[in-house]
Amino acid sequence: MGDLTGPGITTRFRMEAADLGIPARTPDGRLLFVFGDTFEEARVGGGWWRSPVALYGYLPADGPVGWTAAVGGGHARQLRSYPHDGPTFSTVLPTDVITIGTDMYLHVAVHQGFGNVQWSEIWRSPDAGETWQPTAARFPGTLHGGLFQLLTWGLGEDGYVYVLSTGFQRNKPAILHRVPADRITDPSSYRPWGRRAGTWAWGNPPTAVLDGSVGEMCLRPLAGRWILTWFDAAGYRIDALVLDTPAALAGTPAANRVTLIRGGAWGQEDDAHVAQLYGGYVIPGSTLDDLHLTVSQWNTAAGWPYHVMHFRIRGLTGKT
C-alpha cells in the first residue's frame, strides 16, 4: 500500500528512519503505532536516537495509514527518558501493546546490544498513549530459558490475556501463557500452557506451541477467532495462522500456515517479495478477508532502507 515512515512521510516528526510500528486501538478510539529504534535522518544512526516512540494515525479505505500526531508534541519523543548506550543497557525495544479498559500496556525488552536482553517490563498509560510509567511487572531475560523476552498478546472474551513469547534471537520456538486481564502487571499470575504426562493444561511447565526460528509476532482476536502473524526467520517469510483459540496453536499442523509475504533479494522485489523483511503486525480495522499489516525492512549493509511499510492481504479466509 505504501511506505509509512521515511523522508517526506515522517520528516515532520523528526523520524525518517524507524521500524516495527506496532498498532493498537486506544481507549478513545484512535490508532496508536509504537516504533523501535528511531533516528532523525533516513539511515540507521542518523541522529537523535530514540526508542520507543509512537504516532497516532488512521486507516483510510483505499490507501496507506495516515498520521495525525506524534506522542510528545510536534516531534516524536521517546516514551520514557533514558540515555542510549549506557553502562547497563543500550536501548529499550517495544514488543507489543494492548488496551484493557481505559489503560494501555506496553511490553518492552531492555537490551545491552541487540538480542542480549537484560530484562523485560510492562509500562502503563492511563491517557491513550500520551504518557507512560513502568509498572511492577519485570521479567528476567533468562525466564523460561530466554523464551519470555519478545512477546505478543491479545485479550480474549473470557477475560484472559493470552501471551505468546519467544527470545529476541530469531532462533527459538514460542511458548504460551495466559493471565487475568486485571492482573496483567502481576508476573506471579501468568500461567503457562504445557504438556505433561501426555496432557496439556494451564499451569504445567511451558511447552513449545510454535516451533522453528520465531521472530516478531502478532496475536489478535479477530471476528470470533484468533489470528497469529509472525516472521519465520528460517523460512525468510511472514506467515499467518487462523485459530479457534490460542491454546489450539499447540496442535495446529504446519500445513495450515499461510505465507503472506516472502523474503527476496535486493533489486528483485515485488508485491509479494521483500528484501530483509521482518515484523508483520495486524492493524486494527482488519478482517480476515482484508488484512492490513505493518512490515519492517532494514538493509543492514547500507543502513537504508530502514523503514515501515503497509501491506494489504485479501482473501485470507479462503486459504485457512
Side-chain angles (χ1 to χ4, degrees), residues 235-253:
Y236 193 27
R237 61 184 188 249
I238 293 174
D239 281 355
L241 274 171
V242 178
L243 306 160
D244 290 328
T245 68
L249 183 60
T252 300

Side-chain angles (χ1 to χ4, degrees), residues 7-19:
I9 303 171
T10 47
T11 302
R12 68 187 186 277
F13 304 122
R14 294 181 63 187
M15 54 172 294
E16 291 188 344
D19 72 346

Side-chain angles (χ1 to χ4, degrees), residues 142-198:
T142 56
L143 182 63
H144 299 308
L147 291 177
F148 205 86
Q149 299 176 355
L150 184 158
L151 64 74
T152 182
W153 47 21
L155 177 60
E157 294 181 356
D158 56 2
Y160 284 95
V161 173
Y162 290 85
V163 184
L164 188 66
S165 66
T166 187
F168 243 99
Q169 301 77 27
R170 296 177 177 162
N171 62 1
K172 294 179 173 61
I175 58 174
L176 181 67
H177 286 74
R178 72 176 186 181
V179 60
D182 59 357
R183 300 179 194 168
I184 193 171
T185 61
D186 176 11
S188 68
S189 294
Y190 285 65
R191 293 289 180 267
W193 181 240
R195 188 171 186 264
R196 182 165 54 188

